[in-house]
Amino acid sequence: MATAAAHQTDSTAAFHSDDASAGADGFERAFDAAVAADERIEPRDWMPDAYRSTLIRQIAQHAHSEIIGMQPEANWITRAPSLRRKAILMAKVQDEAGHGLYLYSAAETLGASREELLDKLHSGRQKYSSIFNYPTLTWADVGAIGWLVDGAAITNQVPLCRCSYGPYARAMVRVCKEESFHQRQGYELLLALSRGTPEQHAMAQDAVDRWWWPSLMMFGPPDDESQHSAQSMAWKIKRHSNDELRQRFVDICVPQAESLGLTLPDPDLTWNEERGHHDFGAIDWTEFWDVLKGNGPCNEQRLTQRRRAHEEGAWVREAAAAHAAKRAARTARTTETTGATQA
Ligand SMILES: [Fe+2]
Ligand SMILES: [Fe+2]
């Protein structure tokens, strides 16, 4: 049991314990009170079925995005322009695999096995972020992904560090630290290109032109069309709405684009003194829904590659399971022997 708040209220104490006498209604009331008091919900705590399934869906989708997201950038590892860039990119892609692991583990604490979740990904029953269905056409795309895609991910994920579900919130703390390294390496890569030859500058601009709008779509549909937002906010899984986070991201990116010497491909982008935010142009939601439905430029390629990687990795899983069984048998034998000697 752990709580985010310094101390627990009496009304939630029974819920965090295994005191079954509270009854179903009592548990629900205590759960609501714990959420209201900003306490963390932990794996063994009682939680509504819908809270559990919402979290499984969100964490699984997040985990899938991390591992599918390795593909567009891994595409450039062998063609990185220098040893330094290659080392940075390899580290970044490995980080994304690690993020997937933390998140699948977090989902496991809710009772969803990794095998089951991967199966849902491979059969198209669970989604990953649509941003990874766009291709990486030039080296500058690695920079644009770091700056914009990882940047949008951080904007989304920093508030998740305060998510009401403990294991997810804690995974996010480390993920966000690594994401901020990813964002900086992308920014630095784009800066080098922007200050390079006219061809390099043009390559950086072209990448930003292609990745800007899909990055804004990463925050999900507008608030009035977002199915799960209101309930997730009430449960404190989500802390800010899609539109709020998108606005925050735009406001962060505008001055950074200026420092990069690059422009954002939106003629309607202007500072609104009254709102204290940047106004920006209309997002093409038809494209968003279309890519989500599976018609993006790389949907098929990403899933095929993922299924192939899973099949090719079967021997690693088998070897790991055999090794674990061998170790467990050895430990059991040792315990038996030690036990026998002591007796
Ligand atoms: Fe990540
Ligand atoms: Fe990242």
Side-chain angles (χ1 to χ4, degrees):
M1 178 188 75
T3 57
H7 36 248
Q8 226 170 63
T9 54
D10 283 350
S11 61
T12 65
F15 142 84
H16 287 296
S17 78
D18 287 333
D19 180 7
S21 64
D25 281 359
F27 278 129
E28 181 125 34
R29 266 199 307 278
F31 170 85
D32 290 342
V35 170
D38 268 338
E39 288 173 10
R40 288 269 156 80
I41 309 300
E42 295 298 335
R44 289 183 184 180
D45 292 337
W46 184 92
M47 62 187 83
D49 288 344
Y51 176 83
R52 185 185 298 276
S53 58
T54 298
L55 274 168
I56 291 176
R57 182 181 46 77
Q58 179 172 336
I59 297 174
Q61 188 169 319
H62 192 164
H64 300 330
S65 304
E66 299 286 355
I67 62 166
I68 294 272
M70 296 166 72
Q71 291 184 35
E73 291 186 285
N75 178 37
W76 282 93
I77 290 176
T78 55
R79 291 172 288 165
S82 69
L83 182 61
R84 175 175 170 265
R85 291 291 180 198
K86 187 185 289 223
I88 293 171
L89 185 55
M90 281 172 68
K92 190 212 180 231
V93 172
Q94 282 178 14
D95 282 353
E96 306 299 5
H99 297 173
L101 288 181
Y102 311 152
L103 289 160
Y104 285 119
S105 301
E108 277 174 334
T109 66
L110 292 157
S113 76
R114 192 178 308 183
E115 211 173 16
E116 172 195 338
L117 297 181
L118 284 173
D119 188 52
K120 284 185 175 158
L121 168 66
H122 297 154
S123 58
R125 282 175 293 150
Q126 273 178 348
K127 303 270 182 219
Y128 54 88
S129 176
S130 275
I131 191 81
F132 301 118
N133 290 316
Y134 291 87
T136 40
L137 303 179
T138 70
W139 169 250
D141 288 27
V142 172
I145 290 182
W147 178 43
L148 296 173
V149 176
D150 290 280
I154 298 170
T155 312
N156 251 327
Q157 290 167 18
V158 164
L160 287 174
C161 297
R162 293 189 299 124
C163 161
S164 57
Y165 188 58
Y168 192 28
R170 289 189 290 274
M172 280 305 107
V173 173
R174 179 156 173 181
V175 166
C176 284
K177 283 183 186 158
E178 292 175 352
E179 292 302 353
S180 79
F181 154 72
H182 298 170
Q183 195 265 356
R184 280 160 200 222
Q185 68 83 34
Y187 182 88
E188 195 263 340
L189 196 166
L190 282 180
L191 189 65
L193 288 177
S194 178
R195 291 179 177 172
T197 64
E199 289 81 3
Q200 286 173 323
H201 181 90
M203 197 202 277
Q205 184 60 59
D206 169 66
V208 169
D209 288 347
R210 282 180 292 107
W211 288 93
W212 173 248
W213 291 105
S215 300
L216 293 192
M217 295 177 199
M218 281 176 72
F219 297 92
D223 292 346
D224 46 12
E225 287 171 39
S226 176
Q227 301 175 27
H228 308 290
S229 273
Q231 182 60 74
S232 286
M233 300 244 306
W235 278 329
K236 295 190 183 168
I237 295 174
K238 254 183 105 117
R239 297 279 181 163
H240 307 280
S241 77
N242 294 355
D243 287 333
E244 266 171 13
L245 292 168
R246 190 168 9 248
Q247 179 71 63
R248 187 178 293 178
F249 178 67
V250 171
D251 290 338
I252 291 170
C253 287
V254 171
Q256 291 184 351
E258 261 167 46
S259 310
L260 281 171
L262 298 170
T263 54
L264 296 171
D266 180 357
D268 296 327
L269 196 58
T270 43
W271 174 250
N272 183 324
E273 191 66 51
E274 216 170 286
R275 291 200 309 120
H277 291 291
H278 293 87
D279 289 336
F280 53 96
I283 293 171
D284 180 0
W285 291 109
T286 328
E287 176 182 321
F288 173 79
W289 294 114
D290 206 35
V291 177
L292 198 69
K293 266 185 238 146
N295 305 322
C298 301
N299 295 57
E300 215 177 302
Q301 183 188 331
R302 300 291 184 239
L303 261 189
T304 307
Q305 167 66 21
R306 173 90 273 286
R307 288 192 203 107
R308 190 166 61 222
H310 189 71
E311 279 159 26
E312 286 174 359
W315 71 270
V316 180
R317 291 189 295 279
E318 277 162 29
H323 180 67
K326 226 173 177 178
R327 281 187 65 136
R330 199 182 306 143
T331 312
R333 265 202 314 275
T334 315
T335 320
E336 231 169 69
T337 321
T338 324
T341 319
Q342 278 167 353

